[in-house]
Amino acid sequence: MFINQRRALQGVQAMHDHGCMGTRNCTGRNIIMTTKRGRRATMRAYVDPGETKAWHQLDCKHVVEAQQFGPEALNVIFAEAERMERVRPGTAEAKVLDGRVMATLFYEPSTRTRLSFESAITHLGGIVLSTESAGEYSSAAKGETLEDTIRTIENYADCIVLRHFQAGSAKRAALVSSVPIINAGDGPGQHPTQALLDVYSIRKEIGRLDNFKIGLVGDLLNGRTVHSLAYVLSMFKGVKMYFVAPQVVAMKEDIKTYLTSKGVDWEEVDDLHQVASDVDVLYMTRIQKERFDDLKQYTQARGKYIIDAKVMQQLRKDAVVLHPLPRVDEIAVEVDDDPRAAYFRQAKNGLYIRMALVKQCLLGC
């Protein structure tokens, strides 16, 4: 007998057989379950991402936006990431995803995100189908829609890691996909897996996620990493956020409104030195030239805020500097040897978080 299990996520609400031992495929078009008795059930359903926070309890998991994750889900993911740090070749854990296939579909350039995802599944015994510059070297160049591309690739892979130039593209993909979609950045929208690794890094570096101050610096308008990070940090108590950005790339109003609705204390500040002396975490981002239509505005914004030796003198001894990378010139190379410069440690944490997410996604479906 089929019973309702009202579990919502990124475009899906599922009905499962109580004793299901077979496969569960989730899609915005319908839900199809195959049990060991061969019975099938189909239903249409859709609910907005983030309506339920029990992400880790869902049978099929998309990663679409940062608001999907509550504190309990974060604790589960972070505990899994800690276990991933101990995975060694030849062990049983290094074979847990044997036979599983990940497709990485990237319409925008990437180094850390694409390679860390591909490394993540190979560390766990899976394999990768990879397409970079998908807009140029896939059928998108012939006019194929994103939805049709996803409906095709889902036949070849057990999950799809998607980076796209349009905000909201990951949600569009999740609505039509029968396999988990992992948002690896959707234009100026969100980058939820980066937010998870950022929060994981903050906890490792300063030892807590409550009652600390963070300065978000740089391109806060187009920087999807800071958007997702702000959403995730809003669930923790006593977090004070400083926004330090040229006016042309100031933090988006909808995010400030959201933070206010959650009771988060935030402040827009012009003086980077002042913020550096007061925060526990200084989170730097580059000015994103590719998002500007007017290069004069880019020129005006670039170089206004730079973390150099003088800023590091203002930074507390127990504070850290993070950056999602790549950097251009917003952090001077001279800072790299300072033990408070944590951005390369942060990048390493991306591997463990993505191993944890891929494992959760593939073994949860």
Side-chain angles (χ1 to χ4, degrees):
M1 176 179 179
F2 287 99
I3 62 172
N4 283 325
Q5 294 178 319
R6 294 190 58 81
R7 292 181 175 178
L9 177 62
Q10 56 299 2
V12 201
Q13 179 176 340
M15 176 183 285
H16 294 297
D17 182 273
H18 185 61
C20 177
M21 297 293 289
T23 62
R24 304 178 179 116
N25 291 330
C26 61
T27 165
R29 300 189 299 277
N30 50 53
I31 307 298
I32 301 175
M33 287 72 58
T34 304
T35 71
K36 63 181 179 181
R37 292 179 294 279
R39 295 188 300 171
R40 298 169 67 84
T42 302
M43 65 176 290
R44 290 183 178 275
Y46 174 75
V47 265
D48 286 332
E51 185 172 315
T52 180
K53 298 298 185 181
W55 180 89
H56 59 293
Q57 296 175 345
L58 296 164
D59 292 305
C60 198
K61 305 173 181 69
H62 297 298
V63 179
V64 177
E65 60 185 15
Q67 299 95 304
Q68 291 173 234
F69 302 96
E72 184 181 356
L74 289 182
N75 287 335
V76 169
I77 293 167
F78 291 170
E80 189 69 66
E82 290 173 350
R83 288 190 287 271
M84 295 299 97
E85 293 191 33
R86 299 189 292 272
V87 171
R88 296 294 180 267
T91 63
E93 191 68 27
K95 302 174 184 178
V96 70
L97 295 183
D98 182 36
R100 301 298 183 107
V101 180
M102 169 196 287
T104 53
L105 183 62
F106 279 62
Y107 291 80
E108 288 190 323
S110 173
T111 300
R112 279 149 296 278
T113 302
R114 184 171 68 86
L115 292 181
S116 63
F117 266 115
E118 294 177 358
S119 180
I121 193 168
T122 54
H123 271 74
L124 296 175
I127 60 176
V128 178
L129 303 177
S130 185
T131 300
E132 61 175 333
S133 302
E136 182 178 358
Y137 296 113
S138 75
S139 289
K142 303 174 184 178
E144 184 174 61
T145 65
L146 174 64
E147 286 80 1
D148 283 0
T149 298
I150 295 298
R151 286 169 174 159
T152 300
I153 294 177
E154 69 182 11
N155 295 301
Y156 313 140
D158 299 299
C159 70
I160 300 172
V161 180
L162 173 67
R163 170 166 290 186
H164 200 271
F165 51 85
Q166 291 181 338
S169 56
K171 185 180 293 188
R172 287 170 51 199
L175 285 172
V176 301
S177 180
S178 63
V179 299
I181 296 293
I182 302 178
N183 182 1
D186 57 345
Q190 286 208 38
H191 198 343
T193 69
Q194 180 70 45
L196 295 180
L197 78 89
D198 290 342
V199 175
Y200 184 66
S201 297
I202 291 170
R203 192 179 75 165
K204 289 184 69 174
E205 293 291 337
I206 70 172
R208 64 189 187 280
L209 291 174
D210 293 321
N211 302 310
F212 75 94
K213 298 178 182 180
I214 183 169
L216 303 178
V217 189
D219 192 339
L220 307 187
L221 175 66
N222 300 303
R224 55 197 172 205
T225 63
V226 292
H227 301 163
S228 294
L229 181 57
Y231 282 126
V232 175
L233 290 180
S234 70
M235 72 179 71
F236 298 102
K237 297 179 181 179
V239 176
K240 169 69 180 284
M241 300 185 194
Y242 293 102
F243 302 145
V244 187
Q247 186 58 41
V248 69
V249 287
M251 180 62 83
K252 297 170 65 176
E253 290 298 326
D254 62 328
I255 293 179
K256 291 188 288 187
T257 300
Y258 178 88
L259 295 175
T260 299
S261 73
K262 297 297 182 180
V264 177
D265 185 9
W266 59 268
E267 182 180 351
E268 293 183 307
V269 182
D270 291 329
D271 190 339
L272 177 58
H273 288 263
Q274 173 190 339
V275 169
S277 66
D278 192 42
V279 297
D280 303 283
V281 179
L282 199 55
Y283 189 98
M284 192 66 171
T285 66
R286 70 183 176 91
I287 304 299
Q288 299 190 18
K289 183 178 181 180
E290 66 272 22
R291 310 291 181 199
F292 282 80
D293 294 325
D294 184 350
L295 289 182
K296 289 184 179 180
Q297 290 186 331
Y298 166 73
T299 302
Q300 292 170 358
R302 178 184 174 183
K304 182 171 183 180
Y305 296 111
I306 295 176
I307 297 179
D308 55 16
K310 292 181 180 179
V311 172
M312 296 301 288
Q313 289 175 1
Q314 299 295 321
L315 194 68
R316 297 211 317 259
K317 298 299 183 183
D318 58 349
V320 294
V321 177
L322 298 179
H323 192 308
L325 302 175
R327 67 173 163 187
V328 181
D329 55 7
E330 63 278 357
I331 298 181
V333 176
E334 64 190 14
V335 174
D336 292 354
D337 291 332
D338 191 302
R340 295 169 295 176
Y343 29 89
F344 293 115
R345 298 194 294 271
Q346 176 188 1
K348 187 175 183 178
N349 290 332
L351 172 62
Y352 306 130
I353 285 291
R354 287 166 178 142
M355 289 173 69
L357 286 172
V358 170
K359 181 182 175 183
Q360 291 269 327
C361 287
L362 291 181
L363 297 187
C365 281

